[in-house]
Amino acid sequence: MKKKITFLLLGDTLAVGLITVIGFLSHETLLTAPLLRLAATFFPTLLAWLLIAPWLGLYRSEIYSNFRQLWRAGWAGILAAPLAGLFRSLMLGGVPILPVFVLVLAATSAFGMIIWRGAWWFFTRAHK
């Protein structure tokens, strides 16, 4: 059980990293953005995810092993986005929180986490 949670946490972290990279790629700034800008998106998003996901039961086996509960990963991404925006603002010294940033982060996080958690479900289901 602990091994699965560790793998889920690692996968969640990698998914947030991939979502961050795709965001910077979509703005064509991945190679030109200072590392602090990448960190200021990745770490707040990851922290917000790690605060919201357990609240929605995403690390309980009856949730992560049930395909019908996959929506929770998307909902967690949506709920984590405003909190991530706040954490990002604080990390960058109080810059304004742009609503469009929060909306795009919510959508991409929800989509990305559903894909990752769906792949997790499929892989673990196929190997039972």
Side-chain angles (χ1 to χ4, degrees), residues 68-96:
R68 291 179 182 230
Q69 297 296 319
L70 193 57
W71 64 270
R72 290 175 185 254
W75 187 235
I78 290 167
L79 292 176
L83 189 57
L86 174 64
F87 292 156
R88 180 177 178 271
S89 172
L90 295 172
M91 189 172 177
L92 292 174
V95 299

Side-chain angles (χ1 to χ4, degrees), residues 4-5 10 14 17 29-30 41 68 87 91 106 109 112 115 125:
K4 285 185 178 183
I5 300 301
L10 178 61
L14 292 173
T29 58
L30 182 62
T41 300
R68 291 179 182 230
F87 292 156
M91 189 172 177
S109 294
I115 289 173
R125 187 79 172 156

Side-chain angles (χ1 to χ4, degrees):
M1 184 65 82
K2 284 186 180 184
K3 202 174 198 181
K4 285 185 178 183
I5 300 301
T6 300
F7 191 75
L8 275 172
L9 285 167
L10 178 61
D12 290 350
T13 302
L14 292 173
V16 170
L18 186 59
I19 291 163
T20 302
V21 166
I22 290 170
F24 278 85
L25 280 172
S26 73
H27 292 283
E28 298 178 359
T29 58
L30 182 62
L31 300 178
T32 59
L35 192 55
L36 177 62
R37 296 298 285 191
L38 286 162
T41 300
F42 172 75
F43 288 112
T45 304
L46 180 61
L47 177 59
W49 171 264
L50 293 175
L51 291 172
I52 298 296
W55 183 63
L56 292 175
L58 290 171
Y59 298 107
R60 294 193 335 244
S61 64
E62 64 270 15
I63 302 298
Y64 65 69
S65 63
N66 183 347
F67 184 77
R68 291 179 182 230
Q69 297 296 319
L70 193 57
W71 64 270
R72 290 175 185 254
W75 187 235
I78 290 167
L79 292 176
L83 189 57
L86 174 64
F87 292 156
R88 180 177 178 271
S89 172
L90 295 172
M91 189 172 177
L92 292 174
V95 299
I97 302 168
L98 300 175
V100 70
F101 173 80
V102 172
L103 289 172
V104 170
L105 182 60
T108 56
S109 294
F111 183 69
M113 295 314 260
I114 286 173
I115 289 173
W116 149 238
R117 288 298 187 104
W120 159 262
W121 176 85
F122 181 79
F123 178 76
T124 58
R125 187 79 172 156
H127 288 87
K128 278 191 176 183

